[in-house]
Amino acid sequence: MKTIAANAPDTPAAFATFDAPGNATRPLAPAIFWLALPLMAMWPVWLWSAARLTDGSDDPLGIIAILALGLALCRDRRDFGATPRASWLAVSTLFATAAAFGAPPLPWLLRGVLAVASLMAMACALKGPRQPMLPYWGLGFLALPLLSSLQFFVGYPLRVVTAQASAWLLELAGVAALREGSAMTVNNRLVIVDAPCSGIQMAWFAYFTACVAACWLRLPDRIFLRRLPLIGLIVLLGNIVRNTVLVAKETELLAWPEWTHEATGVVVFA
């Protein structure tokens, strides 16, 4: 016969049932209850994010990250406990408070980052001792409408770096190449390195793939963190190669048919 401890309402035992005194068997308060708290508390932020992802002002790639995060949490639901750790619960509350009361000085995107941090901190409060969490954080942040903001703030610097590296590679091949801002002059022909050449979308998909793979393989956080910088390096080098080949094609250094422009992008992206 199952009985419930009645003398400790403020202890973790209050959230569990017992076959015999002191032997917990099944949680009464499921982990989804705790995860639902920051979800409900941050509803204005989620509504803003949903609007940005669906009104055309940002690429809707975050929807893919939301689905992946939901599937990962559903698969690993048995690894989450029913009683949150007090330290992570406090962290989640602080993030939620900052996101909820950060308006109007904080921009919506920063409030979104804080809201995701609150949700992920709650997940950390419930996770098992060996449950990796960093990939969950990554998917949570990738679910936000980030791409247009990233393109605005870091797109130009990335295009400058890509153009300069491409100019150096072409010079090594004996081609006269000069970078001017985010444009290039190759054999006296001007080539514009435009926004799609910044590699922002390729970087998003690369980090998304890394987070999904780490979740699926349950890669330990320390290994995931150690390998994560390599993703950015791979994307940067791939983008430089793509831009260099496309510049050579557009300036007729390579006599390739028109369809190879898109094909080159697809191959490097893959």
Side-chain angles (χ1 to χ4, degrees):
M1 180 178 179
K2 295 181 179 180
T3 59
I4 300 177
N7 58 347
D10 56 345
T11 67
F15 297 96
T17 59
F18 297 85
D19 284 330
N23 294 324
T25 59
R26 182 175 59 85
L28 278 177
I32 193 172
F33 166 78
W34 294 102
L35 292 174
L37 292 180
L39 283 174
M40 292 186 295
M42 298 293 100
W43 66 266
V45 178
W46 310 134
L47 287 179
W48 165 83
S49 182
R52 283 287 301 271
L53 291 173
T54 57
D55 64 4
S57 59
D58 200 282
D59 289 325
L61 296 177
I63 297 173
I64 306 175
I66 293 172
L67 294 175
L69 179 60
L71 289 174
L73 287 171
C74 184
R75 188 196 68 162
D76 297 335
R77 63 189 181 277
R78 297 184 183 277
D79 297 326
F80 290 89
T83 306
R85 299 173 183 84
S87 57
W88 277 108
L89 183 60
V91 172
S92 177
T93 303
L94 287 175
F95 281 133
T97 302
F101 297 100
L106 294 182
W108 276 105
L109 183 57
L110 182 54
R111 292 179 66 192
V113 170
L114 293 171
V116 169
S118 174
L119 180 61
M120 292 300 104
M122 184 64 77
C124 286
L126 299 165
K127 77 179 186 73
R130 296 184 180 180
Q131 172 67 28
M133 288 303 300
L134 285 181
Y136 288 100
W137 285 75
L139 287 174
F141 291 133
L142 290 173
L144 293 169
L146 294 169
L147 291 176
S148 60
S149 297
L150 289 176
Q151 193 67 258
F152 181 81
F153 288 107
V154 301
Y156 179 77
L158 285 176
R159 283 185 282 149
V160 170
V161 171
T162 300
Q164 184 61 66
S166 295
W168 287 336
L169 289 176
L170 291 171
E171 287 179 341
L172 288 176
V175 178
L178 177 67
R179 178 188 66 82
E180 299 175 353
S182 62
M184 299 174 62
T185 302
V186 180
N187 283 348
N188 295 321
R189 297 185 62 175
L190 181 65
V191 180
I192 304 297
V193 182
D194 55 7
C197 294
S198 65
I200 295 293
Q201 281 195 341
M202 187 159 61
W204 189 97
F205 275 103
Y207 284 107
F208 171 79
T209 304
C211 291
V212 169
C215 282
W216 182 259
L217 300 173
R218 292 186 171 90
L219 196 69
D221 283 341
R222 68 180 187 281
I223 298 177
F224 177 74
L225 191 62
R226 188 167 66 241
R227 295 178 182 177
L228 201 59
L230 295 176
I231 303 299
L233 180 61
I234 290 171
V235 171
L236 180 61
L237 293 177
N239 199 46
I240 290 171
V241 170
R242 177 180 65 176
N243 187 72
T244 303
V245 173
L246 293 180
V247 167
K249 176 193 173 301
E250 295 301 321
T251 55
E252 299 180 351
L253 296 174
L254 297 174
W256 289 357
E258 187 62 32
W259 61 266
T260 57
H261 187 111
E262 289 77 14
T264 300
V266 171
V267 169
V268 175
F269 185 89

